[in-house]
mmCIF file of all heavy atoms in Angstrom:
data_model
loop_
_atom_site.group_PDB
_atom_site.id
_atom_site.type_symbol
_atom_site.label_atom_id
_atom_site.label_comp_id
_atom_site.label_asym_id
_atom_site.label_seq_id
_atom_site.Cartn_x
_atom_site.Cartn_y
_atom_site.Cartn_z
ATOM 1 N N ALA A 206 -5.064 -92.500 -41.752
ATOM 2 C CA ALA A 206 -5.426 -93.854 -42.114
ATOM 3 C C ALA A 206 -6.858 -94.006 -42.489
ATOM 4 O O ALA A 206 -7.247 -94.839 -43.349
ATOM 5 C CB ALA A 206 -5.083 -94.769 -40.955
ATOM 6 N N LEU A 278 -12.178 -123.046 -10.627
ATOM 7 C CA LEU A 278 -11.868 -124.170 -9.797
ATOM 8 C C LEU A 278 -10.340 -124.382 -9.662
ATOM 9 O O LEU A 278 -9.901 -125.190 -8.879
ATOM 10 C CB LEU A 278 -12.476 -125.476 -10.394
ATOM 11 C CG LEU A 278 -14.004 -125.541 -10.297
ATOM 12 C CD1 LEU A 278 -14.448 -126.931 -10.705
ATOM 13 C CD2 LEU A 278 -14.493 -125.270 -8.894
ATOM 14 N N LEU A 309 -21.795 -121.541 -32.923
ATOM 15 C CA LEU A 309 -21.402 -120.310 -33.601
ATOM 16 C C LEU A 309 -20.455 -120.618 -34.774
ATOM 17 O O LEU A 309 -20.584 -120.002 -35.823
ATOM 18 C CB LEU A 309 -20.745 -119.347 -32.616
ATOM 19 C CG LEU A 309 -21.632 -118.778 -31.550
ATOM 20 C CD1 LEU A 309 -20.840 -117.952 -30.524
ATOM 21 C CD2 LEU A 309 -22.801 -117.968 -32.110
ATOM 22 N N VAL A 339 -26.738 -107.313 -38.075
ATOM 23 C CA VAL A 339 -26.830 -107.613 -36.635
ATOM 24 C C VAL A 339 -28.167 -108.348 -36.323
ATOM 25 O O VAL A 339 -28.173 -109.229 -35.493
ATOM 26 C CB VAL A 339 -26.786 -106.273 -35.875
ATOM 27 C CG1 VAL A 339 -26.971 -106.540 -34.346
ATOM 28 C CG2 VAL A 339 -25.450 -105.562 -36.084
ATOM 29 N N GLY A 352 -32.367 -124.287 -26.571
ATOM 30 C CA GLY A 352 -31.531 -125.475 -26.748
ATOM 31 C C GLY A 352 -30.112 -125.281 -26.324
ATOM 32 O O GLY A 352 -29.459 -126.209 -25.867
ATOM 33 N N GLY A 377 2.537 -100.332 -36.999
ATOM 34 C CA GLY A 377 3.732 -100.589 -36.187
ATOM 35 C C GLY A 377 3.876 -99.652 -35.026
ATOM 36 O O GLY A 377 4.928 -99.556 -34.392
#
Side-chain angles (χ1 to χ4, degrees):
L278 291 189
L309 293 175
V339 176

